[in-house]
Amino acid sequence: MPVRPAGLCRCNYHDKCLHAACLSAVNFKDVTLTPTEPQQVKDGKPSERKSSHQDQFPGSLPRLGVQKNKLVIIMVGLPGRGKTFLCNKLKRYLNWLGHNTQHFNVGNYRRKNKGSEEQDASFFDQKNEAGARARQEALLLALDDLLEWLNSGVGQVAILDGTNSTNERRNFLRSQFHGRWQYLYIESICSDEEVLNSNYRAKMRYSPDYKGMDEDKAVMDFRKRISNYEEVYEPITDRNLHYIKLIDM
């Protein structure tokens, strides 16, 4: 029975640590995927639609036992902590190793379905009910595609990229995967101001949320967004979860 990890990583060899952790969480040896005619999911890209979870959650689907050859990696952390960077590195590395991996970025679904509303820092205020509904809808759309990917016959590893910053959200996600696939949380924690400032500036240059905005104004808005998340953020402390903490990367 493979051992599922829970621990901390402070070393300079994060690719190797993450790879070792993933392999200890799921045994990929001699994997045989079912030769069906799968529905293809386009590289984790959000589709233009409403979530099918308005009437039922994915957790209500029939479960035939844990599939040991499939793994869901769930990112956790405040904005600007390098989660998407880690996701992209993990995806490339695991695909290179031959494990068919897809990256589902909840922020991309949010942007795809935002319509005409502004998504500045106030959109992420926990008191903003419309913003909360839009963020929940984005999560459910990402889950739709993630489920389709893992059920397609070709998907082996799915990476869910989002803040997932509360125990309530993480328990909800756990309920979707528990008893069906193996799953692992990776929490990225950073309090190093030099690293954070570098992350923020890089994000301002490449994030679609701040395209065309003055960099200093964008950083100011982004810091306000982070403050909104900090009001409700709960680090992982549940020892019953399978998780890794990455600190000050």
Side-chain angles (χ1 to χ4, degrees):
M1 180 72 67
V3 177
R4 287 175 279 194
L8 305 178
C9 173
R10 293 178 181 269
C11 76
N12 295 319
Y13 303 98
H14 302 294
D15 281 349
K16 292 182 180 179
C17 287
L18 290 174
H19 174 226
C22 290
L23 290 185
S24 64
V26 60
N27 183 3
F28 288 109
K29 185 178 180 182
D30 299 327
V31 167
T32 302
L33 297 175
T34 306
T36 58
E37 295 182 2
Q39 289 184 316
Q40 297 294 331
V41 177
K42 291 185 178 180
D43 196 30
K45 297 286 175 43
S47 51
E48 297 186 38
R49 67 189 191 289
K50 291 294 183 181
S51 169
S52 64
H53 296 85
Q54 292 174 341
D55 299 317
Q56 71 171 21
F57 291 118
S60 63
L61 297 174
R63 302 189 182 197
L64 304 176
V66 178
Q67 298 182 54
K68 299 290 186 179
N69 63 334
K70 309 237 176 175
L71 174 67
V72 183
I73 299 173
I74 306 161
M75 302 303 297
V76 176
L78 291 167
R81 266 57 182 178
K83 298 184 299 297
T84 298
F85 177 76
L86 286 169
C87 289
N88 288 327
K89 291 191 76 172
L90 264 176
K91 177 186 171 183
R92 287 196 300 268
Y93 191 47
L94 291 172
N95 276 320
W96 178 73
L97 290 171
H99 312 314
N100 208 357
T101 303
Q102 202 61 272
H103 173 201
F104 300 88
N105 185 315
V106 176
N108 286 343
Y109 291 83
R110 168 180 58 79
R111 285 183 284 269
K112 187 76 171 179
N113 291 275
K114 75 172 187 174
S116 59
E117 76 262 36
E118 285 290 324
Q119 293 191 348
D120 58 9
S122 64
F123 177 84
F124 300 90
D125 189 326
Q126 305 308 311
K127 302 179 186 69
N128 185 335
E129 295 182 2
R133 286 194 299 271
R135 296 196 304 275
Q136 179 70 5
E137 178 66 19
L139 172 69
L140 297 180
L141 288 168
L143 281 174
D144 279 345
D145 284 350
L146 185 152
L147 287 165
E148 184 179 353
W149 165 251
L150 287 180
N151 284 317
S152 67
V154 297
Q156 197 173 6
V157 182
I159 306 173
L160 184 63
D161 183 5
T163 56
N164 301 314
S165 53
T166 64
N167 290 325
E168 181 182 14
R169 170 61 61 83
R170 293 190 291 268
N171 287 334
F172 166 71
L173 292 173
R174 182 187 184 194
S175 74
Q176 311 311 301
F177 308 130
H178 191 76
R180 177 181 300 146
W181 301 303
Q182 299 196 93
Y183 55 93
L184 169 71
Y185 293 88
I186 298 179
E187 182 176 17
S188 181
I189 298 172
C190 185
S191 56
D192 185 317
E193 280 301 320
E194 185 177 348
V195 173
L196 289 175
N197 286 328
S198 176
N199 286 352
Y200 298 165
R201 294 288 171 181
K203 188 174 182 69
M204 296 313 99
R205 288 192 288 271
Y206 301 109
S207 172
D209 286 336
Y210 296 102
K211 185 176 181 181
M213 185 182 292
D214 175 78
E215 188 172 298
D216 290 335
K217 290 182 179 179
V219 169
M220 187 180 302
D221 181 84
F222 190 60
R223 286 183 178 276
K224 290 179 182 177
R225 180 195 298 193
I226 293 169
S227 294
N228 287 331
Y229 274 101
E230 286 175 331
E231 290 180 5
V232 296
Y233 187 79
E234 298 170 308
I236 296 177
T237 57
D238 185 352
R239 301 297 294 183
N240 292 315
L241 295 179
H242 319 306
Y243 68 86
I244 300 169
K245 287 181 184 274
L246 302 175
I247 299 175
D248 288 340
M249 289 185 60

